Structure formats: C-alpha cells, structure tokens
Amino acid sequence: PVTEDLMIGHLRDVEQFPTILSGDLKSDDGPGSDSRSDNCYAVVTSMANDTSAVLDGLVITGGSGARGSGLSCYGSAPKIVDCTFTDNIAFGYNWHSESDEGDGGAVYNLGGSPVFERCRFENNRADSDGGAVWSCDYAELTLSQCTFVGNIARGRGGAVGGSLCDI
C-alpha cells in the first residue's frame, strides 16, 4: 500500500530503487555496445522550459543520436538534480565539418541555462566535442558538485566543452 512516507520525495532511496530512462528500445545493448541503430535519438528533450522543470534522481542511459543523446536542451532552464547520465553516445556524421553533429554525448545545451546539481556523468562518448556535456550559442551552464568519470570526446572537452557560452 502507498503510505504517506512513500509519497514524500526526500525519503526515497534513488540508489537502492533507481528510476531508469533508457534509449535502448529493444534492450539489446551490452556494455560498450556500438550497435545502437534502434536506440532513441535523445532520451529526454527540454524545449523552452523554465526553472520549474525538474529532473530528480533519474538514471538516463542508452541514448544514441547526433547530439545530446541523454538530454537535449534547447533554450531551456531545467534543474537536474541527483541524476546519472551513463553510456550515451553522440555520433558524428560530419566529423571534419563545422557541423555540431557528434557533440555532447550525454547533454547538448543550445542557448539554454540548465542547472545540474550532484549529477554523475559516466562512460559517455562524443564523436566530436564534449564527451559528457557540450554547451553553445550564448548558453549558461551550471554544474555544481557533479562527478565526471570515463567520458571521451574525439575533439575538445572529454568531460565538458563549449563554444560561445558561460560554464
């Protein structure tokens, strides 16, 4: 039965009982798998949201797209708290061009102001820039008490990178 204690958000244990948002639509990805043609482009998309949009205590994994495969943030200011971004890949289709494809393995922030608190970014990959996070186009990115482990970019910023932005 649902009790009052279960309904109070601060009593939940996100490590013992994770809520997983996965882009692995067929549940066929193994660790380090590159066969992701059936995965979703971005697990979460935030477009023109204000600070009242909150992601709290989620595991976001298995995204596979051109940019921001875990979270694509366009002109938004969401708050992301105690979330884990793991095993997301941004594939680059125009590696030697000025295109932003392949940027932000876990997060791509275009002109937004997202705030990340106590988040973990682990084993994300970008074929271009920003293995975990890429921020651009006059964006403001806040990362507070976040952890970055094993993120890789072929270009700039293995963990975090940006262009024309404040980080």
Side-chain angles (χ1 to χ4, degrees), residues 44-81:
V44 178
T45 300
S46 177
M47 298 182 78
N49 291 308
D50 62 19
T51 57
S52 67
V54 178
L55 295 176
D56 186 359
L58 302 172
V59 175
I60 299 172
T61 186
S64 176
R67 62 187 68 86
S69 298
L71 170 64
S72 292
C73 183
Y74 300 101
S76 290
K79 185 174 183 178
I80 300 93
V81 181

Side-chain angles (χ1 to χ4, degrees), residues 12 14 19 21 54-60 79-86 116-122 146-147:
R12 66 193 168 108
V14 297
T19 299
L21 301 180
V54 178
L55 295 176
D56 186 359
L58 302 172
V59 175
I60 299 172
K79 185 174 183 178
I80 300 93
V81 181
D82 295 322
C83 288
T84 299
F85 293 83
T86 184
F116 293 84
E117 295 179 0
R118 298 180 308 277
C119 291
R120 183 174 180 83
F121 298 86
E122 186 170 1
C146 293
T147 304

Side-chain angles (χ1 to χ4, degrees), residues 29-150:
D29 294 351
S33 172
D34 279 336
S35 83
R36 299 189 172 217
S37 61
D38 59 344
N39 289 28
C40 72
Y41 177 78
V43 178
V44 178
T45 300
S46 177
M47 298 182 78
N49 291 308
D50 62 19
T51 57
S52 67
V54 178
L55 295 176
D56 186 359
L58 302 172
V59 175
I60 299 172
T61 186
S64 176
R67 62 187 68 86
S69 298
L71 170 64
S72 292
C73 183
Y74 300 101
S76 290
K79 185 174 183 178
I80 300 93
V81 181
D82 295 322
C83 288
T84 299
F85 293 83
T86 184
D87 205 26
N88 297 287
I89 299 174
F91 287 108
Y93 303 105
N94 296 311
W95 171 242
H96 292 289
S97 75
E98 291 298 316
S99 168
D100 59 357
E101 292 178 345
D103 290 338
V107 175
Y108 180 81
N109 176 36
L110 177 71
S113 304
V115 174
F116 293 84
E117 295 179 0
R118 298 180 308 277
C119 291
R120 183 174 180 83
F121 298 86
E122 186 170 1
N123 298 326
N124 299 288
R125 186 176 86 214
D127 279 355
S128 190
D129 301 319
V133 180
W134 182 256
S135 188
C136 59
D137 289 357
Y138 307 100
E140 294 182 20
L141 174 68
T142 302
L143 299 163
S144 176
Q145 299 177 355
C146 293
T147 304
F148 296 86
V149 177

